[in-house]
Protein backbone atom coordinates (compact mmCIF):
# COMPACT_ATOMS: atom_id res chain seq x y z
CA UNK A 1 0.00 0.00 0.00
CA UNK A 2 1.71 3.22 -1.17
CA UNK A 3 -0.45 5.20 1.28
CA UNK A 4 1.57 3.93 4.27
CA UNK A 5 5.39 4.14 4.62
CA UNK A 6 7.23 0.84 4.62
CA UNK A 7 9.76 2.16 7.15
CA UNK A 8 9.31 4.64 10.02
CA UNK A 9 12.58 6.18 11.21
CA UNK A 10 12.76 8.17 14.46
CA UNK A 11 15.46 10.37 15.93
CA UNK A 12 15.88 9.93 19.70
CA UNK A 13 17.15 13.06 21.52
CA UNK A 14 14.44 15.77 21.71
CA UNK A 15 12.20 13.64 19.46
CA UNK A 16 11.43 10.56 21.59
CA UNK A 17 12.95 11.61 24.91
CA UNK A 18 14.29 14.63 26.81
CA UNK A 19 16.74 16.01 27.68
CA UNK A 20 19.38 15.47 25.02
CA UNK A 21 22.07 13.05 26.15
CA UNK A 22 24.98 15.43 25.59
CA UNK A 23 23.67 17.59 28.44
CA UNK A 24 24.08 14.79 31.00
CA UNK A 25 27.18 13.89 32.96
CA UNK A 26 26.45 10.27 33.85
CA UNK A 27 24.56 7.32 32.43
CA UNK A 28 20.83 8.17 32.72
CA UNK A 29 17.77 6.08 33.42
CA UNK A 30 14.24 6.37 32.09
CA UNK A 31 11.98 8.00 34.66
CA UNK A 32 14.90 9.66 36.44
CA UNK A 33 17.27 11.73 34.33
CA UNK A 34 15.37 10.97 31.09
CA UNK A 35 11.64 11.22 30.39
CA UNK A 36 9.75 9.97 27.37
CA UNK A 37 7.74 12.62 25.54
CA UNK A 38 4.17 11.40 26.25
CA UNK A 39 2.80 11.82 22.72
CA UNK A 40 5.89 10.13 21.30
CA UNK A 41 5.05 7.08 23.39
CA UNK A 42 1.51 7.14 22.01
CA UNK A 43 2.93 7.14 18.47
CA UNK A 44 5.23 4.21 19.24
CA UNK A 45 2.30 2.28 20.69
CA UNK A 46 0.38 2.86 17.47
CA UNK A 47 3.37 1.57 15.49
CA UNK A 48 3.31 -1.61 17.58
CA UNK A 49 -0.45 -2.10 17.14
CA UNK A 50 -0.30 -1.55 13.38
CA UNK A 51 2.78 -3.70 12.89
CA UNK A 52 4.77 -0.84 11.32
CA UNK A 53 8.47 -1.41 10.63
CA UNK A 54 10.38 0.92 12.96
CA UNK A 55 14.00 2.08 13.08
CA UNK A 56 15.91 4.68 15.08
CA UNK A 57 18.64 6.99 13.78
CA UNK A 58 20.65 9.01 16.27
CA UNK A 59 23.89 10.91 15.87
CA UNK A 60 24.57 11.13 19.62
CA UNK A 61 28.10 10.49 20.84
CA UNK A 62 26.56 8.79 23.88
CA UNK A 63 25.75 5.63 21.95
CA UNK A 64 26.16 3.23 24.86
CA UNK A 65 23.75 5.27 26.96
CA UNK A 66 21.22 5.50 24.12
CA UNK A 67 21.29 1.73 23.55
CA UNK A 68 20.67 1.07 27.24
CA UNK A 69 17.75 3.50 27.20
CA UNK A 70 16.18 1.66 24.25
CA UNK A 71 15.94 -1.37 26.53
CA UNK A 72 14.20 0.73 29.20
CA UNK A 73 11.56 2.45 27.04
CA UNK A 74 8.42 0.37 27.61
CA UNK A 75 6.00 0.45 24.69
CA UNK A 76 3.76 -2.22 26.23
CA UNK A 77 4.00 -4.99 28.79
CA UNK A 78 6.09 -7.13 26.43
CA UNK A 79 7.68 -4.59 24.09
CA UNK A 80 10.55 -2.14 24.54
CA UNK A 81 11.75 0.35 21.96
CA UNK A 82 14.67 -1.98 21.30
CA UNK A 83 12.42 -4.95 20.59
CA UNK A 84 10.04 -2.78 18.53
CA UNK A 85 12.96 -2.14 16.19
CA UNK A 86 13.65 -5.87 16.10
CA UNK A 87 16.77 -6.43 14.00
CA UNK A 88 19.92 -4.73 15.40
CA UNK A 89 20.44 -3.20 11.95
CA UNK A 90 17.30 -1.12 12.62
CA UNK A 91 19.19 0.68 15.40
CA UNK A 92 21.60 3.18 13.88
CA UNK A 93 23.34 5.17 16.60
CA UNK A 94 26.65 6.88 15.84
CA UNK A 95 27.90 10.49 15.39
CA UNK A 96 27.75 11.22 11.66
CA UNK A 97 25.64 12.82 8.95
CA UNK A 98 22.10 11.37 9.20
CA UNK A 99 22.35 10.41 5.53
CA UNK A 100 24.78 7.69 6.65
CA UNK A 101 22.21 6.28 9.09
CA UNK A 102 19.54 6.17 6.38
CA UNK A 103 21.91 4.62 3.85
CA UNK A 104 22.62 1.82 6.33
CA UNK A 105 18.91 1.28 6.87
CA UNK A 106 18.26 1.20 3.14
CA UNK A 107 20.97 -1.41 2.62
CA UNK A 108 19.66 -3.52 5.50
CA UNK A 109 16.01 -3.44 4.38
CA UNK A 110 16.13 -2.86 0.60
CA UNK A 111 13.28 -0.38 1.21
CA UNK A 112 13.57 2.61 -1.18
CA UNK A 113 14.05 6.02 0.40
CA UNK A 114 10.77 7.05 -1.20
CA UNK A 115 9.00 4.52 1.04
CA UNK A 116 10.52 5.90 4.27
CA UNK A 117 9.28 8.60 6.61
CA UNK A 118 11.70 10.30 9.01
CA UNK A 119 10.97 12.30 12.20
CA UNK A 120 13.62 14.61 13.71
CA UNK A 121 13.79 17.83 15.74
CA UNK A 122 16.80 19.24 13.79
CA UNK A 123 15.80 21.07 10.63
CA UNK A 124 18.72 22.74 8.84
CA UNK A 125 22.21 24.12 9.28
CA UNK A 126 25.16 22.15 10.58
CA UNK A 127 22.89 19.62 12.29
CA UNK A 128 20.12 19.84 9.73
CA UNK A 129 19.03 16.22 9.83
CA UNK A 130 15.63 16.76 8.19
CA UNK A 131 16.98 18.55 5.14
CA UNK A 132 19.87 16.13 4.69
CA UNK A 133 17.63 13.06 4.84
CA UNK A 134 15.03 14.62 2.52
CA UNK A 135 17.74 14.96 -0.14
CA UNK A 136 17.88 11.15 -0.30
CA UNK A 137 14.21 11.05 -1.28
CA UNK A 138 12.67 10.39 2.13
CA UNK A 139 9.79 12.41 3.52
CA UNK A 140 11.15 14.29 6.55
CA UNK A 141 8.91 15.61 9.31
CA UNK A 142 10.31 18.40 11.49
CA UNK A 143 9.49 17.90 15.20
CA UNK A 144 10.90 20.98 16.99
CA UNK A 145 8.92 20.25 20.17
CA UNK A 146 9.40 16.51 20.04
CA UNK A 147 7.22 13.91 18.35
CA UNK A 148 3.59 14.93 18.80
CA UNK A 149 0.32 13.47 17.56
CA UNK A 150 -0.11 16.51 15.33
CA UNK A 151 3.32 15.99 13.71
CA UNK A 152 2.60 12.26 13.35
CA UNK A 153 -0.74 12.79 11.61
CA UNK A 154 0.70 15.56 9.44
CA UNK A 155 3.45 13.18 8.34
CA UNK A 156 1.08 10.32 7.53
CA UNK A 157 -1.23 12.61 5.58
CA UNK A 158 1.65 14.10 3.59
CA UNK A 159 2.96 10.65 2.73
CA UNK A 160 -0.50 9.45 1.67
CA UNK A 161 -0.74 12.53 -0.57
CA UNK A 162 2.45 11.58 -2.39
CA UNK A 163 4.89 13.97 -0.74
CA UNK A 164 8.50 12.73 -1.03
CA UNK A 165 11.97 14.20 -0.79
CA UNK A 166 10.84 17.29 1.13
CA UNK A 167 10.65 18.51 4.71
CA UNK A 168 7.27 19.13 6.28
CA UNK A 169 7.96 22.02 8.64
CA UNK A 170 5.93 23.36 11.51
CA UNK A 171 5.38 27.08 11.68
CA UNK A 172 6.45 28.18 15.14
CA UNK A 173 5.08 31.54 16.39
CA UNK A 174 7.95 33.90 17.25
CA UNK A 175 8.27 36.96 19.45
CA UNK A 176 10.89 39.70 19.19
CA UNK A 177 12.33 41.11 22.43
CA UNK A 178 15.41 43.01 23.63
CA UNK A 179 18.32 40.68 24.34
CA UNK A 180 21.75 40.83 25.94
CA UNK A 181 24.54 38.29 25.72
CA UNK A 182 26.24 37.70 29.08
CA UNK A 183 29.46 35.89 29.92
CA UNK A 184 29.56 32.97 32.29
CA UNK A 185 29.18 32.55 35.18
CA UNK A 186 27.22 35.83 35.47
CA UNK A 187 24.51 34.72 33.03
CA UNK A 188 23.86 31.69 35.24
CA UNK A 189 24.04 33.73 38.43
CA UNK A 190 21.43 36.16 37.10
CA UNK A 191 19.01 33.48 35.89
CA UNK A 192 19.54 31.46 39.07
CA UNK A 193 18.39 34.48 41.09
CA UNK A 194 21.69 35.21 42.82
CA UNK A 195 22.37 38.40 40.87
CA UNK A 196 19.81 41.23 40.93
CA UNK A 197 21.83 44.21 39.68
CA UNK A 198 23.67 44.73 36.41
CA UNK A 199 26.66 47.06 36.47
CA UNK A 200 27.90 48.92 33.36
CA UNK A 201 29.76 52.12 32.50
CA UNK A 202 27.33 52.97 29.70
CA UNK A 203 23.52 53.32 30.13
CA UNK A 204 22.74 50.40 27.82
CA UNK A 205 19.60 49.38 29.75
CA UNK A 206 18.08 52.87 29.92
CA UNK A 207 15.96 52.53 26.77
CA UNK A 208 14.46 49.18 27.84
CA UNK A 209 13.55 50.11 31.42
CA UNK A 210 10.36 48.41 32.63
CA UNK A 211 10.57 45.86 29.82
CA UNK A 212 11.43 42.19 29.52
CA UNK A 213 14.90 41.30 28.25
CA UNK A 214 16.14 37.98 26.92
CA UNK A 215 19.37 36.58 28.36
CA UNK A 216 21.78 34.82 26.01
CA UNK A 217 24.61 32.73 27.48
CA UNK A 218 27.84 33.86 25.86
CA UNK A 219 30.71 31.57 24.90
CA UNK A 220 33.26 33.49 26.96
CA UNK A 221 33.97 33.42 30.69
CA UNK A 222 34.34 36.58 32.78
CA UNK A 223 36.79 36.58 35.67
CA UNK A 224 35.07 36.49 39.05
CA UNK A 225 36.16 36.88 42.66
CA UNK A 226 35.98 33.46 44.32
CA UNK A 227 36.75 34.95 47.73
CA UNK A 228 33.76 37.27 47.39
CA UNK A 229 31.55 34.37 46.32
CA UNK A 230 32.70 32.40 49.36
CA UNK A 231 32.00 35.39 51.60
CA UNK A 232 28.48 35.68 50.15
CA UNK A 233 27.89 31.92 50.35
CA UNK A 234 27.12 31.65 46.64
CA UNK A 235 26.41 27.95 45.98
CA UNK A 236 28.53 26.31 43.30
CA UNK A 237 25.40 25.14 41.49
CA UNK A 238 24.35 28.77 40.95
CA UNK A 239 27.35 29.17 38.61
CA UNK A 240 26.18 26.31 36.38
CA UNK A 241 23.79 25.97 33.45
CA UNK A 242 20.80 23.64 33.86
CA UNK A 243 20.16 20.66 31.62
CA UNK A 244 19.04 21.55 28.14
CA UNK A 245 20.90 24.88 28.15
CA UNK A 246 24.31 25.47 26.59
CA UNK A 247 26.54 28.38 25.64
CA UNK A 248 25.26 30.25 22.63
CA UNK A 249 21.62 29.74 23.70
CA UNK A 250 19.07 32.37 24.59
CA UNK A 251 18.42 30.74 27.93
CA UNK A 252 15.94 32.86 29.84
CA UNK A 253 14.28 36.19 30.46
CA UNK A 254 14.26 38.92 33.10
CA UNK A 255 12.55 42.23 33.86
CA UNK A 256 14.72 45.35 33.55
CA UNK A 257 14.26 48.11 36.11
CA UNK A 258 15.64 51.63 36.44
CA UNK A 259 19.28 52.59 35.88
CA UNK A 260 21.03 54.84 38.41
CA UNK A 261 24.53 55.83 39.58
CA UNK A 262 26.11 53.16 41.71
CA UNK A 263 26.90 55.78 44.36
CA UNK A 264 23.25 55.55 45.44
CA UNK A 265 23.98 52.13 46.94
CA UNK A 266 26.36 51.02 49.64
CA UNK A 267 29.47 48.92 49.01
CA UNK A 268 27.75 45.95 50.64
CA UNK A 269 24.67 46.28 48.43
CA UNK A 270 26.85 46.36 45.31
CA UNK A 271 28.77 43.26 46.40
CA UNK A 272 25.64 41.33 47.33
CA UNK A 273 23.58 42.19 44.26
CA UNK A 274 26.13 42.76 41.47
CA UNK A 275 28.49 40.05 42.80
CA UNK A 276 31.61 42.13 42.21
CA UNK A 277 33.39 44.59 44.49
CA UNK A 278 32.39 48.26 44.52
CA UNK A 279 35.73 49.15 42.92
CA UNK A 280 35.33 46.60 40.10
CA UNK A 281 31.74 47.56 39.28
CA UNK A 282 30.72 50.01 36.56
CA UNK A 283 29.52 53.56 37.12
CA UNK A 284 25.85 52.67 36.60
CA UNK A 285 23.64 49.96 38.04
CA UNK A 286 20.35 48.56 36.74
CA UNK A 287 17.83 46.62 38.79
CA UNK A 288 16.98 43.15 37.45
CA UNK A 289 14.02 41.08 38.66
CA UNK A 290 11.83 38.08 37.77
CA UNK A 291 14.70 36.15 36.24
CA UNK A 292 13.56 32.86 34.74
CA UNK A 293 15.20 30.03 32.85
CA UNK A 294 13.51 28.70 29.74
CA UNK A 295 12.68 25.00 29.72
CA UNK A 296 15.17 24.60 26.84
CA UNK A 297 17.70 26.84 25.18
CA UNK A 298 17.19 28.59 21.84
CA UNK A 299 20.37 28.72 19.74
CA UNK A 300 21.02 32.26 18.56
CA UNK A 301 24.00 34.39 17.47
CA UNK A 302 25.05 37.10 19.87
CA UNK A 303 25.71 40.81 19.31
CA UNK A 304 27.29 43.56 21.43
CA UNK A 305 25.12 45.56 23.81
CA UNK A 306 21.33 45.41 23.69
CA UNK A 307 19.94 44.00 20.45
CA UNK A 308 16.66 42.45 19.35
CA UNK A 309 16.25 38.70 18.97
CA UNK A 310 13.44 36.29 18.13
CA UNK A 311 12.46 33.28 20.22
CA UNK A 312 9.51 30.87 19.98
CA UNK A 313 6.59 32.27 21.94
CA UNK A 314 6.03 28.97 23.75
CA UNK A 315 9.30 29.52 25.64
CA UNK A 316 7.61 32.41 27.45
CA UNK A 317 4.68 30.29 28.61
CA UNK A 318 4.00 29.91 32.35
CA UNK A 319 6.00 26.67 32.52
CA UNK A 320 9.35 28.51 32.38
CA UNK A 321 11.04 28.09 35.73
CA UNK A 322 12.20 30.58 38.29
CA UNK A 323 15.44 29.48 39.83
Amino acid sequence: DNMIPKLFVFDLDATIWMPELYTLRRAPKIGKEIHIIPEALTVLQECEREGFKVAVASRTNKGAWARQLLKQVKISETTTLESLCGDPDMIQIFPADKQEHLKNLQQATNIPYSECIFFDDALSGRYGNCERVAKLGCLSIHTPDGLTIERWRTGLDAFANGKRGIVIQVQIPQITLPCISMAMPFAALLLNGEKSLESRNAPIFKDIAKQQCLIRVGHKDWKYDQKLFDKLNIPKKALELPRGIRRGDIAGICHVGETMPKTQLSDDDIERQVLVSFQASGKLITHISNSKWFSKGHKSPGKPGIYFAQVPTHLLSPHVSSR
Side-chain angles (χ1 to χ4, degrees), residues 15 37 39-40 43 119 143 145-154:
T15 298
I37 297 171
E39 292 187 36
V43 168
F119 297 85
T143 61
D145 297 314
L147 181 57
T148 64
I149 300 298
E150 185 275 331
R151 292 279 81 202
W152 171 248
R153 297 297 175 213
T154 295

Side-chain angles (χ1 to χ4, degrees), residues 17 23 30 41 54 66 81 118 144 151 197 249 262 285 315:
W17 60 51
T23 67
I30 297 294
L41 180 59
V54 169
L81 184 47
F118 173 69
R151 292 279 81 202
L197 288 177
D249 285 349
K262 73 175 182 180
I285 55 167
L315 291 180

Side-chain angles (χ1 to χ4, degrees), residues 26-281:
R26 60 177 182 272
K29 293 183 179 180
I30 297 294
K32 293 186 177 180
E33 296 85 1
I34 291 287
H35 70 270
I36 304 302
I37 297 171
E39 292 187 36
L41 180 59
T42 300
V43 168
L44 294 173
Q45 290 168 341
E46 182 174 336
C47 288
E48 182 189 22
R49 285 195 309 273
E50 298 296 331
F52 293 155
K53 192 171 188 65
V54 169
V56 297
S58 172
R59 62 188 300 166
T60 182
N61 61 0
K62 305 291 186 183
W65 293 1
R67 290 176 185 276
Q68 285 301 312
L69 292 172
L70 293 181
K71 301 176 188 291
Q72 299 173 29
V73 178
K74 296 282 287 183
I75 309 300
S76 65
E77 287 296 320
T78 58
T79 305
T80 63
L81 184 47
E82 181 189 56
S83 63
L84 182 65
C85 294
D87 193 309
D89 287 340
M90 296 296 96
I91 299 173
Q92 296 290 323
I93 302 176
F94 55 92
D97 189 315
K98 279 281 175 83
Q99 284 193 352
E100 298 303 314
H101 300 72
L102 271 293
K103 288 175 182 177
N104 290 346
L105 291 171
Q106 196 280 324
Q107 291 171 6
T109 62
N110 289 318
I111 295 174
Y113 295 123
S114 60
E115 296 302 318
C116 298
I117 190 169
F118 173 69
F119 297 85
D120 198 297
D121 67 293
L123 177 61
S124 58
R126 182 180 177 187
Y127 301 111
N129 301 326
C130 285
E131 290 189 351
R132 294 289 295 158
V133 169
K135 288 181 179 180
L136 294 174
C138 300
L139 175 63
S140 291
I141 311 301
H142 184 213
T143 61
D145 297 314
L147 181 57
T148 64
I149 300 298
E150 185 275 331
R151 292 279 81 202
W152 171 248
R153 297 297 175 213
T154 295
L156 293 182
D157 289 345
F159 191 93
N161 288 322
K163 304 295 185 183
R164 304 289 189 277
I166 64 171
V167 180
I168 305 297
Q169 298 185 41
V170 59
Q171 297 300 316
I172 305 174
Q174 303 276 320
I175 186 171
T176 301
L177 290 170
C179 183
I180 187 168
S181 187
M182 295 182 64
M184 285 290 289
F186 292 98
L189 288 164
L190 187 146
L191 288 170
N192 279 318
E194 295 290 339
K195 179 177 171 65
S196 56
L197 288 177
E198 260 299 294
S199 167
R200 306 277 167 154
N201 285 319
I204 65 171
F205 294 102
K206 184 177 179 181
D207 290 340
I208 61 167
K210 300 182 181 180
Q211 296 182 46
Q212 289 182 309
C213 182
L214 301 169
I215 303 298
R216 177 183 179 272
V217 181
H219 289 282
K220 294 182 179 180
D221 291 324
W222 193 268
K223 187 177 180 181
Y224 61 92
D225 186 342
Q226 184 62 57
K227 290 183 178 179
L228 175 61
F229 284 14
D230 291 341
K231 171 187 171 182
L232 298 173
N233 295 315
I234 303 296
K236 184 178 179 181
K237 193 171 182 179
L239 283 68
E240 301 173 353
L241 300 177
R243 293 172 186 165
I245 304 290
R246 56 183 175 178
R247 292 172 188 254
D249 285 349
I250 294 178
I253 194 167
C254 68
H255 183 268
V256 177
E258 298 293 339
T259 296
M260 63 186 69
K262 73 175 182 180
T263 51
Q264 295 191 20
L265 292 181
S266 68
D267 291 18
D268 287 344
D269 285 336
I270 294 289
E271 286 188 353
R272 174 62 261 181
Q273 298 179 69
V274 182
L275 304 184
V276 298
S277 68
F278 188 88
Q279 293 76 13
S281 62

